[in-house]
Amino acid sequence: MSVIEKKPIKITETVLRDAHQSLIATRMTTEQMLPIIEKMDKVGYHAVECWGGATFDASLRFLKEDPWERLRKLRDGFKNTKLQMLFRGQNILGYNHYADDVVEYFVQKSIANGIDIIRIFDCLNDIRNLETAVRAANKEKGHAQVALSYTLGDAYTLDYWKDMAKKIEEMGANSLCIKDMAGLLTPYDAQELVTALKETVAIPIDMHTHYTSGVASMTYLKAVEAGCDIIDTAISPFALGTSQPATEVMAETFRGTPYDPGFDQNLLAEIADYFRLLREEDLEKGLLNPKVLGVNIKTLMYQVPGGMLSNLVSQLKEMGQEDKYYEVLEEVPRVRKDFGEPPLVTPSSQIVGTQAVLNVVSGERYKMVTKESKKLLSGEFGQTVKPFNPEVQKKCIGDKEPITCRPADLLEPQLPRLEKEMSQYKQHEEDVLSYALFPQVALEYFRYREAQQTRVDQSVADMEHKVYPV
Ligand code: CO
């Protein structure tokens, strides 16, 4: 009789990062998170993804919260669970390339404030853009998980992914992630990919996908059977649609099998009850649009991530050109091809998407070209897997000589200048990093913070005056 070896699947919960980024435009506040983390800490998650990605920008810009403060509070609450963040390689959590000193300092401070696992990716899969962040995470004794930004296209063969995975392992990554941000991976393709990668690398493999096209939970099933070590899920009220498959469903699927994660469904139900109330509030406020909750099979046709679809809609709305939506969707793959067929993930998704909108609404392709498109075509985001369309490149950047080196090699250290520029607002060491990524937004936040503090000081003074009238 054969004995089946137990291999419990590890589960990373995304409700505090990707799930609310995908469903409610990253608007979950720290106050909404804190009451439930004691329970979440008891589940036995491999990790909770709770920081990075768009949460940093959204906290500062829309919620008027210090993202570093959020991280410290989450760290205090999660005594037994690893905390994970999403990190855009040389773009950190912003949309541009930063110098190595900023990348290194950001990694150092993320780990010092409580992050255990840093998931690092590059929007072009240019591994030179991952090196500094991986080295910094290794140095700070953090876990460097490096992601393949999964996409489809002629260049993206099994050999391509295997070759990239091998380089990632050699670079010093502690685990590998298949990051399928658009939900393109179908179950049998996932099985094939995981099997091939398992033969190629020894480090654990984490599968990350989105439910957008409706196949994601089946994709996880086949991936796990093929040897995938970790899957990313969201507690049910914030699962499905453009988010991840539901945690309870995956835990139940594997119950009693060698992959059983051993989660307590009663505990998961209590956590779900908490988030269900938030979901109802978000539906009432219009923050959660029922449109993002359904199955959108078009995502497989247009290969566009869910977040990018809603961006395109809002860009067209602003211009009063909503009727051009399908024309734009068809222009996206053409622009992508002209731009060397990159994966569509922040920031390449925004660059390609905005350019597609301009190509359609201006009535002539590349008549209007964004600064970011020019940068991309000048090699300033790194190397794409395929060459740029030379005619388009010429039309957009003229005779400018594109760069071929790692873009950050051309950047002088930036921290000394940044420190000087924002010194009058500085209250924490981390403030300079917030400023480095989002100068305008950070300054507004710093001023808001000062105003709040003055108000508090004033009301304390007023109270004292009332208690001890002169
Ligand atoms: Co995601």
Side-chain angles (χ1 to χ4, degrees), residues 28 31 40 49 61 72 89 125 151 157 194 215 296 306 322 324 330 342 353 368 419 431 456:
M28 201 182 285
E31 213 175 295
M40 289 178 71
E49 190 190 54
R61 193 184 299 262
R72 286 188 285 270
N125 281 328
T151 191
T157 59
V194 171
V215 299
N296 186 351
E322 283 158 280
K324 300 267 167 61
E330 275 158 29
M368 288 160 75
E419 289 276 8
D431 286 344
V456 171

Side-chain angles (χ1 to χ4, degrees), residues 17-18 22 49 86 119 179-181 208-210 244:
R17 205 286 299 175
D18 203 353
S22 299
E49 190 190 54
L86 181 65
R119 174 177 293 168
K179 179 177 162 60
D180 179 22
M181 52 278 168
H208 175 90
T209 188
H210 288 252
Q244 272 77 51

Side-chain angles (χ1 to χ4, degrees), residues 2 51 61 111 134 136 153 161 174 196 206 420 469:
S2 68
W51 210 64
R61 193 184 299 262
I111 292 172
V134 171
W161 297 120
N174 303 100
D206 186 332
K420 208 183 266 171

